PDB file of all heavy atoms in Angstrom:
ATOM      1  N   ILE I   1       0.842  -1.215   0.027  1.00  0.00           N
ATOM      2  CA  ILE I   1       0.042  -0.021  -0.022  1.00  0.00           C
ATOM      3  C   ILE I   1       0.892   1.243   0.029  1.00  0.00           C
ATOM      4  O   ILE I   1       0.629   2.248  -0.754  1.00  0.00           O
ATOM      5  CB  ILE I   1      -0.937   0.018   1.221  1.00  0.00           C
ATOM      6  CG1 ILE I   1      -2.012  -1.168   1.047  1.00  0.00           C
ATOM      7  CG2 ILE I   1      -1.662   1.300   1.374  1.00  0.00           C
ATOM      8  CD1 ILE I   1      -2.798  -1.366   2.315  1.00  0.00           C
ATOM      9  N   ILE I   2       1.911   1.266   0.805  1.00  0.00           N
ATOM     10  CA  ILE I   2       2.733   2.462   0.892  1.00  0.00           C
ATOM     11  C   ILE I   2       3.603   2.527  -0.421  1.00  0.00           C
ATOM     12  O   ILE I   2       3.874   3.681  -0.861  1.00  0.00           O
ATOM     13  CB  ILE I   2       3.727   2.358   2.080  1.00  0.00           C
ATOM     14  CG1 ILE I   2       2.840   2.285   3.447  1.00  0.00           C
ATOM     15  CG2 ILE I   2       4.632   3.517   2.216  1.00  0.00           C
ATOM     16  CD1 ILE I   2       3.668   2.083   4.700  1.00  0.00           C
ATOM     17  N   ALA I   3       3.991   1.408  -0.957  1.00  0.00           N
ATOM     18  CA  ALA I   3       4.755   1.443  -2.224  1.00  0.00           C
ATOM     19  C   ALA I   3       3.908   1.954  -3.360  1.00  0.00           C
ATOM     20  O   ALA I   3       4.341   2.790  -4.220  1.00  0.00           O
ATOM     21  CB  ALA I   3       5.307   0.039  -2.595  1.00  0.00           C
ATOM     22  N   LEU I   4       2.645   1.541  -3.385  1.00  0.00           N
ATOM     23  CA  LEU I   4       1.704   2.072  -4.399  1.00  0.00           C
ATOM     24  C   LEU I   4       1.386   3.566  -4.160  1.00  0.00           C
ATOM     25  O   LEU I   4       1.208   4.334  -5.172  1.00  0.00           O
ATOM     26  CB  LEU I   4       0.401   1.278  -4.341  1.00  0.00           C
ATOM     27  CG  LEU I   4       0.348  -0.166  -4.920  1.00  0.00           C
ATOM     28  CD1 LEU I   4      -0.799  -0.960  -4.465  1.00  0.00           C
ATOM     29  CD2 LEU I   4       0.516  -0.109  -6.431  1.00  0.00           C
ATOM     30  N   SER I   5       1.349   3.911  -2.942  1.00  0.00           N
ATOM     31  CA  SER I   5       1.244   5.400  -2.606  1.00  0.00           C
ATOM     32  C   SER I   5       2.449   6.167  -3.162  1.00  0.00           C
ATOM     33  O   SER I   5       2.241   7.294  -3.735  1.00  0.00           O
ATOM     34  CB  SER I   5       1.157   5.556  -1.100  1.00  0.00           C
ATOM     35  OG  SER I   5       1.412   6.897  -0.694  1.00  0.00           O
ATOM     36  N   THR I   6       3.660   5.633  -3.099  1.00  0.00           N
ATOM     37  CA  THR I   6       4.839   6.259  -3.619  1.00  0.00           C
ATOM     38  C   THR I   6       4.696   6.345  -5.163  1.00  0.00           C
ATOM     39  O   THR I   6       5.041   7.375  -5.685  1.00  0.00           O
ATOM     40  CB  THR I   6       6.080   5.447  -3.222  1.00  0.00           C
ATOM     41  OG1 THR I   6       6.166   5.234  -1.850  1.00  0.00           O
ATOM     42  CG2 THR I   6       7.365   6.169  -3.691  1.00  0.00           C
ATOM     43  N   LEU I   7       4.201   5.248  -5.780  1.00  0.00           N
ATOM     44  CA  LEU I   7       4.006   5.267  -7.254  1.00  0.00           C
ATOM     45  C   LEU I   7       3.077   6.393  -7.638  1.00  0.00           C
ATOM     46  O   LEU I   7       3.294   7.113  -8.585  1.00  0.00           O
ATOM     47  CB  LEU I   7       3.526   3.920  -7.697  1.00  0.00           C
ATOM     48  CG  LEU I   7       3.279   3.730  -9.179  1.00  0.00           C
ATOM     49  CD1 LEU I   7       4.589   3.929  -9.898  1.00  0.00           C
ATOM     50  CD2 LEU I   7       2.746   2.319  -9.452  1.00  0.00           C
ATOM     51  N   SER I   8       2.010   6.591  -6.827  1.00  0.00           N
ATOM     52  CA  SER I   8       1.075   7.601  -7.057  1.00  0.00           C
ATOM     53  C   SER I   8       1.665   9.033  -6.989  1.00  0.00           C
ATOM     54  O   SER I   8       1.408   9.802  -7.872  1.00  0.00           O
ATOM     55  CB  SER I   8      -0.081   7.518  -6.121  1.00  0.00           C
ATOM     56  OG  SER I   8      -1.001   8.553  -6.207  1.00  0.00           O
ATOM     57  N   GLN I   9       2.494   9.243  -6.015  1.00  0.00           N
ATOM     58  CA  GLN I   9       3.136  10.514  -5.857  1.00  0.00           C
ATOM     59  C   GLN I   9       4.223  10.727  -6.930  1.00  0.00           C
ATOM     60  O   GLN I   9       4.448  11.876  -7.315  1.00  0.00           O
ATOM     61  CB  GLN I   9       3.701  10.639  -4.451  1.00  0.00           C
ATOM     62  CG  GLN I   9       2.778  10.593  -3.336  1.00  0.00           C
ATOM     63  CD  GLN I   9       1.595  11.503  -3.564  1.00  0.00           C
ATOM     64  OE1 GLN I   9       1.767  12.671  -3.704  1.00  0.00           O
ATOM     65  NE2 GLN I   9       0.321  10.953  -3.512  1.00  0.00           N
ATOM     66  N   LEU I  10       4.781   9.677  -7.399  1.00  0.00           N
ATOM     67  CA  LEU I  10       5.842   9.805  -8.577  1.00  0.00           C
ATOM     68  C   LEU I  10       5.018  10.283  -9.767  1.00  0.00           C
ATOM     69  O   LEU I  10       5.488  11.011 -10.616  1.00  0.00           O
ATOM     70  CB  LEU I  10       6.521   8.533  -8.720  1.00  0.00           C
ATOM     71  CG  LEU I  10       7.651   8.172  -7.752  1.00  0.00           C
ATOM     72  CD1 LEU I  10       8.091   6.735  -8.059  1.00  0.00           C
ATOM     73  CD2 LEU I  10       8.800   9.084  -7.967  1.00  0.00           C
ATOM     74  N   GLY I  11       3.733   9.728  -9.961  1.00  0.00           N
ATOM     75  CA  GLY I  11       2.937  10.172 -11.030  1.00  0.00           C
ATOM     76  C   GLY I  11       2.593  11.615 -10.885  1.00  0.00           C
ATOM     77  O   GLY I  11       2.556  12.393 -11.910  1.00  0.00           O
ATOM     78  N   MET I  12       2.398  12.106  -9.659  1.00  0.00           N
ATOM     79  CA  MET I  12       2.118  13.504  -9.383  1.00  0.00           C
ATOM     80  C   MET I  12       3.283  14.382  -9.824  1.00  0.00           C
ATOM     81  O   MET I  12       3.102  15.380 -10.387  1.00  0.00           O
ATOM     82  CB  MET I  12       1.855  13.661  -7.881  1.00  0.00           C
ATOM     83  CG  MET I  12       1.304  15.054  -7.522  1.00  0.00           C
ATOM     84  SD  MET I  12      -0.483  15.162  -7.905  1.00  0.00           S
ATOM     85  CE  MET I  12      -0.853  16.738  -7.174  1.00  0.00           C
ATOM     86  N   MET I  13       4.515  13.896  -9.492  1.00  0.00           N
ATOM     87  CA  MET I  13       5.741  14.675  -9.898  1.00  0.00           C
ATOM     88  C   MET I  13       5.879  14.751 -11.438  1.00  0.00           C
ATOM     89  O   MET I  13       6.192  15.749 -12.000  1.00  0.00           O
ATOM     90  CB  MET I  13       6.902  14.049  -9.286  1.00  0.00           C
ATOM     91  CG  MET I  13       7.007  14.106  -7.759  1.00  0.00           C
ATOM     92  SD  MET I  13       8.328  13.117  -7.118  1.00  0.00           S
ATOM     93  CE  MET I  13       7.639  12.631  -5.489  1.00  0.00           C
ATOM     94  N   MET I  14       5.622  13.601 -12.095  1.00  0.00           N
ATOM     95  CA  MET I  14       5.679  13.568 -13.541  1.00  0.00           C
ATOM     96  C   MET I  14       4.607  14.391 -14.183  1.00  0.00           C
ATOM     97  O   MET I  14       4.836  15.076 -15.207  1.00  0.00           O
ATOM     98  CB  MET I  14       5.580  12.102 -14.057  1.00  0.00           C
ATOM     99  CG  MET I  14       6.676  11.207 -13.695  1.00  0.00           C
ATOM    100  SD  MET I  14       8.246  11.766 -14.372  1.00  0.00           S
ATOM    101  CE  MET I  14       9.113  12.243 -12.981  1.00  0.00           C
ATOM    102  N   PHE I  15       3.464  14.494 -13.515  1.00  0.00           N
ATOM    103  CA  PHE I  15       2.379  15.266 -13.968  1.00  0.00           C
ATOM    104  C   PHE I  15       2.784  16.806 -13.922  1.00  0.00           C
ATOM    105  O   PHE I  15       2.521  17.556 -14.806  1.00  0.00           O
ATOM    106  CB  PHE I  15       1.149  15.106 -13.127  1.00  0.00           C
ATOM    107  CG  PHE I  15      -0.039  15.996 -13.358  1.00  0.00           C
ATOM    108  CD1 PHE I  15      -0.799  15.890 -14.535  1.00  0.00           C
ATOM    109  CD2 PHE I  15      -0.392  16.927 -12.482  1.00  0.00           C
ATOM    110  CE1 PHE I  15      -1.853  16.671 -14.817  1.00  0.00           C
ATOM    111  CE2 PHE I  15      -1.511  17.817 -12.726  1.00  0.00           C
ATOM    112  CZ  PHE I  15      -2.175  17.645 -13.885  1.00  0.00           C
ATOM    113  N   SER I  16       3.475  17.128 -12.795  1.00  0.00           N
ATOM    114  CA  SER I  16       3.984  18.496 -12.690  1.00  0.00           C
ATOM    115  C   SER I  16       5.003  18.825 -13.764  1.00  0.00           C
ATOM    116  O   SER I  16       5.053  19.892 -14.336  1.00  0.00           O
ATOM    117  CB  SER I  16       4.601  18.639 -11.289  1.00  0.00           C
ATOM    118  OG  SER I  16       5.107  19.944 -11.073  1.00  0.00           O
ATOM    119  N   ILE I  17       5.924  17.830 -14.064  1.00  0.00           N
ATOM    120  CA  ILE I  17       6.959  18.006 -15.006  1.00  0.00           C
ATOM    121  C   ILE I  17       6.258  18.183 -16.464  1.00  0.00           C
ATOM    122  O   ILE I  17       6.687  19.023 -17.249  1.00  0.00           O
ATOM    123  CB  ILE I  17       7.960  16.882 -15.030  1.00  0.00           C
ATOM    124  CG1 ILE I  17       8.782  16.985 -13.795  1.00  0.00           C
ATOM    125  CG2 ILE I  17       8.823  16.870 -16.243  1.00  0.00           C
ATOM    126  CD1 ILE I  17       9.704  15.791 -13.570  1.00  0.00           C
ATOM    127  N   SER I  18       5.227  17.449 -16.721  1.00  0.00           N
ATOM    128  CA  SER I  18       4.577  17.527 -18.000  1.00  0.00           C
ATOM    129  C   SER I  18       3.971  18.886 -18.261  1.00  0.00           C
ATOM    130  O   SER I  18       3.752  19.284 -19.450  1.00  0.00           O
ATOM    131  CB  SER I  18       3.542  16.418 -18.147  1.00  0.00           C
ATOM    132  OG  SER I  18       2.447  16.711 -17.297  1.00  0.00           O
ATOM    133  N   LEU I  19       3.601  19.616 -17.166  1.00  0.00           N
ATOM    134  CA  LEU I  19       3.068  20.948 -17.285  1.00  0.00           C
ATOM    135  C   LEU I  19       4.180  22.007 -17.337  1.00  0.00           C
ATOM    136  O   LEU I  19       3.907  23.221 -17.384  1.00  0.00           O
ATOM    137  CB  LEU I  19       2.128  21.235 -16.192  1.00  0.00           C
ATOM    138  CG  LEU I  19       0.887  20.373 -16.063  1.00  0.00           C
ATOM    139  CD1 LEU I  19       0.050  20.687 -14.851  1.00  0.00           C
ATOM    140  CD2 LEU I  19       0.033  20.452 -17.328  1.00  0.00           C
ATOM    141  N   GLY I  20       5.456  21.570 -17.206  1.00  0.00           N
ATOM    142  CA  GLY I  20       6.564  22.492 -17.146  1.00  0.00           C
ATOM    143  C   GLY I  20       6.896  23.049 -15.821  1.00  0.00           C
ATOM    144  O   GLY I  20       7.626  23.992 -15.727  1.00  0.00           O
ATOM    145  N   LEU I  21       6.270  22.453 -14.752  1.00  0.00           N
ATOM    146  CA  LEU I  21       6.515  22.992 -13.376  1.00  0.00           C
ATOM    147  C   LEU I  21       7.613  22.188 -12.758  1.00  0.00           C
ATOM    148  O   LEU I  21       7.410  21.395 -11.778  1.00  0.00           O
ATOM    149  CB  LEU I  21       5.209  22.849 -12.592  1.00  0.00           C
ATOM    150  CG  LEU I  21       3.999  23.544 -13.215  1.00  0.00           C
ATOM    151  CD1 LEU I  21       2.728  23.156 -12.463  1.00  0.00           C
ATOM    152  CD2 LEU I  21       4.197  25.054 -13.349  1.00  0.00           C
ATOM    153  N   TYR I  22       8.827  22.383 -13.242  1.00  0.00           N
ATOM    154  CA  TYR I  22      10.045  21.546 -12.802  1.00  0.00           C
ATOM    155  C   TYR I  22      10.305  21.830 -11.310  1.00  0.00           C
ATOM    156  O   TYR I  22      10.614  20.897 -10.523  1.00  0.00           O
ATOM    157  CB  TYR I  22      11.221  21.775 -13.654  1.00  0.00           C
ATOM    158  CG  TYR I  22      10.945  21.691 -15.125  1.00  0.00           C
ATOM    159  CD1 TYR I  22      10.899  22.842 -15.942  1.00  0.00           C
ATOM    160  CD2 TYR I  22      10.598  20.461 -15.661  1.00  0.00           C
ATOM    161  CE1 TYR I  22      10.621  22.692 -17.311  1.00  0.00           C
ATOM    162  CE2 TYR I  22      10.359  20.317 -17.058  1.00  0.00           C
ATOM    163  CZ  TYR I  22      10.363  21.415 -17.837  1.00  0.00           C
ATOM    164  OH  TYR I  22      10.088  21.331 -19.157  1.00  0.00           O
ATOM    165  N   GLU I  23      10.318  23.121 -10.901  1.00  0.00           N
ATOM    166  CA  GLU I  23      10.690  23.474  -9.567  1.00  0.00           C
ATOM    167  C   GLU I  23       9.606  22.853  -8.555  1.00  0.00           C
ATOM    168  O   GLU I  23       9.963  22.446  -7.507  1.00  0.00           O
ATOM    169  CB  GLU I  23      10.708  25.001  -9.392  1.00  0.00           C
ATOM    170  CG  GLU I  23      11.818  25.646 -10.148  1.00  0.00           C
ATOM    171  CD  GLU I  23      11.296  26.090 -11.621  1.00  0.00           C
ATOM    172  OE1 GLU I  23      10.206  25.689 -11.908  1.00  0.00           O
ATOM    173  OE2 GLU I  23      12.079  26.715 -12.306  1.00  0.00           O
ATOM    174  N   LEU I  24       8.346  22.883  -8.940  1.00  0.00           N
ATOM    175  CA  LEU I  24       7.316  22.342  -8.137  1.00  0.00           C
ATOM    176  C   LEU I  24       7.530  20.808  -7.928  1.00  0.00           C
ATOM    177  O   LEU I  24       7.227  20.256  -6.864  1.00  0.00           O
ATOM    178  CB  LEU I  24       5.946  22.646  -8.650  1.00  0.00           C
ATOM    179  CG  LEU I  24       5.335  23.958  -8.180  1.00  0.00           C
ATOM    180  CD1 LEU I  24       3.944  24.143  -8.758  1.00  0.00           C
ATOM    181  CD2 LEU I  24       5.306  24.102  -6.687  1.00  0.00           C
ATOM    182  N   ALA I  25       7.875  20.128  -9.010  1.00  0.00           N
ATOM    183  CA  ALA I  25       8.053  18.707  -8.951  1.00  0.00           C
ATOM    184  C   ALA I  25       9.258  18.372  -7.994  1.00  0.00           C
ATOM    185  O   ALA I  25       9.118  17.469  -7.223  1.00  0.00           O
ATOM    186  CB  ALA I  25       8.430  18.163 -10.357  1.00  0.00           C
ATOM    187  N   PHE I  26      10.269  19.252  -7.991  1.00  0.00           N
ATOM    188  CA  PHE I  26      11.421  18.985  -7.013  1.00  0.00           C
ATOM    189  C   PHE I  26      10.987  19.244  -5.645  1.00  0.00           C
ATOM    190  O   PHE I  26      11.331  18.621  -4.723  1.00  0.00           O
ATOM    191  CB  PHE I  26      12.531  19.859  -7.510  1.00  0.00           C
ATOM    192  CG  PHE I  26      13.801  19.693  -6.625  1.00  0.00           C
ATOM    193  CD1 PHE I  26      14.476  18.464  -6.578  1.00  0.00           C
ATOM    194  CD2 PHE I  26      14.243  20.712  -5.879  1.00  0.00           C
ATOM    195  CE1 PHE I  26      15.593  18.313  -5.824  1.00  0.00           C
ATOM    196  CE2 PHE I  26      15.350  20.550  -5.006  1.00  0.00           C
ATOM    197  CZ  PHE I  26      16.018  19.295  -5.015  1.00  0.00           C
ATOM    198  N   PHE I  27      10.164  20.326  -5.499  1.00  0.00           N
ATOM    199  CA  PHE I  27       9.635  20.711  -4.163  1.00  0.00           C
ATOM    200  C   PHE I  27       8.851  19.511  -3.588  1.00  0.00           C
ATOM    201  O   PHE I  27       8.920  19.180  -2.454  1.00  0.00           O
ATOM    202  CB  PHE I  27       8.840  21.979  -4.287  1.00  0.00           C
ATOM    203  CG  PHE I  27       8.269  22.413  -3.009  1.00  0.00           C
ATOM    204  CD1 PHE I  27       8.768  22.255  -1.824  1.00  0.00           C
ATOM    205  CD2 PHE I  27       6.997  23.116  -3.050  1.00  0.00           C
ATOM    206  CE1 PHE I  27       8.178  22.657  -0.624  1.00  0.00           C
ATOM    207  CE2 PHE I  27       6.389  23.537  -1.916  1.00  0.00           C
ATOM    208  CZ  PHE I  27       6.974  23.373  -0.725  1.00  0.00           C
ATOM    209  N   HIS I  28       7.991  18.961  -4.464  1.00  0.00           N
ATOM    210  CA  HIS I  28       7.137  17.844  -4.003  1.00  0.00           C
ATOM    211  C   HIS I  28       7.984  16.592  -3.681  1.00  0.00           C
ATOM    212  O   HIS I  28       7.648  15.810  -2.753  1.00  0.00           O
ATOM    213  CB  HIS I  28       6.009  17.499  -5.091  1.00  0.00           C
ATOM    214  CG  HIS I  28       5.000  16.488  -4.529  1.00  0.00           C
ATOM    215  ND1 HIS I  28       4.292  16.701  -3.412  1.00  0.00           N
ATOM    216  CD2 HIS I  28       4.605  15.331  -5.048  1.00  0.00           C
ATOM    217  CE1 HIS I  28       3.431  15.666  -3.245  1.00  0.00           C
ATOM    218  NE2 HIS I  28       3.677  14.825  -4.222  1.00  0.00           N
ATOM    219  N   LEU I  29       9.066  16.400  -4.461  1.00  0.00           N
ATOM    220  CA  LEU I  29       9.943  15.282  -4.185  1.00  0.00           C
ATOM    221  C   LEU I  29      10.601  15.402  -2.805  1.00  0.00           C
ATOM    222  O   LEU I  29      10.687  14.415  -2.078  1.00  0.00           O
ATOM    223  CB  LEU I  29      11.069  15.291  -5.266  1.00  0.00           C
ATOM    224  CG  LEU I  29      12.242  14.316  -5.116  1.00  0.00           C
ATOM    225  CD1 LEU I  29      11.726  12.873  -5.359  1.00  0.00           C
ATOM    226  CD2 LEU I  29      13.390  14.643  -5.978  1.00  0.00           C
TER     227      LEU I  29
END
């Protein structure tokens, strides 16, 4: 469950990168 949660948040970071929000993706990391 926690590993899948990590996968979900990695998706969130990639979503941020796809919008060009690189600094926000790093902040969320």
Side-chain angles (χ1 to χ4, degrees):
I1 294 173
I2 301 176
L4 287 163
S5 162
T6 306
L7 182 62
S8 174
Q9 298 310 303
L10 285 172
M12 189 80 174
M13 294 169 209
M14 292 299 110
F15 175 71
S16 179
I17 289 173
S18 71
L19 298 177
L21 307 171
Y22 309 110
E23 295 88 355
L24 272 183
F26 182 65
F27 178 33
H28 189 54
L29 174 71

